[in-house]
Each structure stands twice: as C-alpha cells, then as structure tokens.
Amino acid sequence: MATKKSNISVHEQLVSARIRARIKAAGARFHANDNIADFIEEGELDALQREVQVKLEGVLESLVIDVESDHNTHETAKRVARMYIQEVFAGRYQAPPVVTEFPNVGKLNELMIVGPIGVRSACSHHLCPIMGKIWVGVMPSAHSNLIGLSKYVRLIHWVMSRPQIQEEAVLQLADLLMKKLQPNGLAIVMEADHFCMHWRGVKDTDAKMINSVMRGSFLKNASLRNEFLALLSRKS
C-alpha cells in the first residue's frame, strides 16, 4: 500500500531549490557543515521541514515499512524532519547566537580554560551521532574581547549542530572564536565517540577520537601548550 503523503503544495516542494539557487547566485558554499541562514527567507524553514518530511516518507516506503499500519512509524518522517531542521542540524539553518563581547578592562593575560562542554554532532559520512566534550583554552591580550561562560556553550553548540567530521568542526570553531575574542592564543581539544564506528562498520564500542587545534601563543610557546594539556589531564 502506498504511503499517504503529507499535505504539501508545489510551491513548498520547491523551497530547497529556491534556497539553493540563491546560494549559487551569491557564489557561496553550502557543504554539510556550512551555515546557510542568510539565504533562508521568512517562512521558508517551516516549508523546508515539510519538504524533508515528504521525502523521508519516500525513504520509509522504499525500505518497505508500512507506516500506515505500523503505529510506531506513522509519524516517524515528521519527527525526523523536525529533528534534522530544528535540532541536530540546526547550526546550518539558524543565525549565529547573539554574543555580547566586552573589552578586557582588567588587562587579563593569564591562561583561562573553559570546559568540559558536552557536544553532539553528526558524521557527514553516515549521519550517525558524534557525542563528546570540548575544552577551550584562551590566552587573552590587552586588546582581547571577553565573553561570558555560557556564550562559549552557545557558540560551540551552534557550530557542532551540523553534519561534519570532527577535524573540520574543531577548525571552524577555532576560526569563530579567534574572530570574536582576538586573543593572543587559543587552544581547543575535543574528545568524542563516533557512532559510525560503534553502531556500524567495525562496531568498536571503545574507540574515541581526540584532536586539538592550537593558535597564536599556544602554537608558538611549548610551555603554555604543556600547561594547558597538563591541566586537562588532571581533570580527566
């Protein structure tokens, strides 16, 4: 029996094509880990979610799942579409969080560490979860901007809520924080479980990935870098 399609107009079905056309006209990139909020007009995100829902219904149909008779999967396409657009991949579609920056009036120039901050993302190869934690080390300068602790969490979640690979995610986060804070140095360490390894493939449930990015004084000063890593090891 054919799957009952959601009520969606032809105009709404083309919303992804309209957004894609705007991006291409601007010469911008729209890879899985890119933010495209600037190209989405008012009301289009809801329409995009409905379009994704319809296409997911087709996926379930091709998997030979009777969503009309199976009460457990009757609303699955709707739930998954909402999850992708509003939660798991929200960092692609939502504008960056508002973060108030204030000057370093106290001339702080000592190492500051924020973390661990719990993060969730998704592998862009298989759309499987990436679950982990991040530490951020900042070496301010007299000209640095400072932000509240909760703002680190908001910025990190915004970057991580996209399909991506861990190595690129940490680089994107470093670029964002360097631009906002303008510190003498920045260090980021991320440790995560990858369910594309746990759930499929080799099915290794113990393996984790740890990677780091060092900028400015953390890259140039081995003593500072070692101090940061030593403090993290004491907290592990």
Side-chain angles (χ1 to χ4, degrees):
M1 184 180 294
T3 303
K4 183 180 178 181
K5 300 298 181 184
S6 298
N7 184 18
I8 182 170
S9 68
V10 173
H11 179 72
E12 288 176 333
Q13 285 179 334
L14 300 177
V15 66
S16 63
R18 296 200 305 272
I19 296 169
R20 189 180 298 109
R22 289 187 205 115
I23 298 172
K24 288 184 175 181
R29 202 182 78 163
F30 54 105
H31 290 184
N33 61 343
D34 289 328
N35 178 271
I36 59 171
D38 287 343
F39 302 97
I40 300 174
E41 297 181 354
E42 185 176 356
E44 285 187 330
L45 202 56
D46 289 337
L48 183 63
Q49 183 174 314
R50 290 191 289 272
E51 180 182 329
V52 172
Q53 177 182 337
V54 168
K55 293 183 176 181
L56 283 168
E57 287 170 350
V59 171
L60 294 173
E61 183 176 308
S62 295
L63 290 170
V64 199
I65 296 174
D66 184 359
V67 297
E68 290 188 340
S69 300
D70 179 7
H71 62 281
N72 288 319
T73 57
H74 182 66
E75 295 279 313
T76 294
K78 180 179 180 180
R79 287 190 293 263
V80 174
R82 182 173 61 241
M83 177 188 73
Y84 280 153
I85 298 295
Q86 298 185 23
E87 297 180 89
V88 181
F89 300 161
R92 298 199 74 236
Y93 308 109
Q94 295 178 359
V98 176
V99 174
T100 302
E101 302 150 26
F102 48 95
N104 184 8
V105 176
K107 309 299 182 187
L108 302 175
N109 62 351
E110 298 293 336
L111 173 60
M112 177 177 66
I113 300 177
V114 180
I117 296 170
V119 295
R120 61 182 175 85
S121 191
C123 168
S124 53
H125 296 160
H126 298 96
L127 302 186
C128 287
I130 298 173
M131 309 292 287
K133 49 192 175 180
I134 282 178
W135 293 265
V136 178
V138 179
M139 178 58 73
S141 72
H143 306 291
S144 290
N145 295 322
L146 303 176
I147 63 175
L149 293 179
S150 66
K151 304 307 186 291
Y152 284 95
V153 177
R154 294 183 187 277
L155 290 171
I156 288 170
H157 286 176
W158 182 67
V159 170
M160 290 295 157
S161 296
R162 306 171 193 179
Q164 55 201 329
I165 62 172
Q166 181 172 331
E167 302 94 311
E168 292 179 355
V170 174
L171 287 172
Q172 277 194 327
L173 180 59
D175 290 342
L176 177 64
L177 292 177
M178 285 295 292
K179 181 178 179 180
K180 286 197 170 293
L181 301 178
Q182 301 177 35
N184 273 341
L186 178 76
I188 299 175
V189 170
M190 178 173 176
E191 175 185 286
D193 292 295
H194 289 245
F195 283 73
C196 55
M197 284 187 62
H198 297 347
W199 197 22
R200 57 159 300 282
V202 296
K203 297 183 178 65
D204 187 327
T205 58
D206 295 320
K208 296 179 184 291
M209 180 175 182
I210 303 174
N211 69 317
S212 65
V213 174
M214 304 287 170
R215 299 279 174 85
S217 54
F218 285 94
L219 189 61
K220 300 172 184 176
N221 187 330
S223 296
L224 177 62
R225 185 167 61 251
N226 291 338
E227 179 185 359
F228 170 68
L229 295 174
L231 288 170
L232 291 196
S233 66
R234 293 177 190 174
K235 296 295 182 182
S236 300

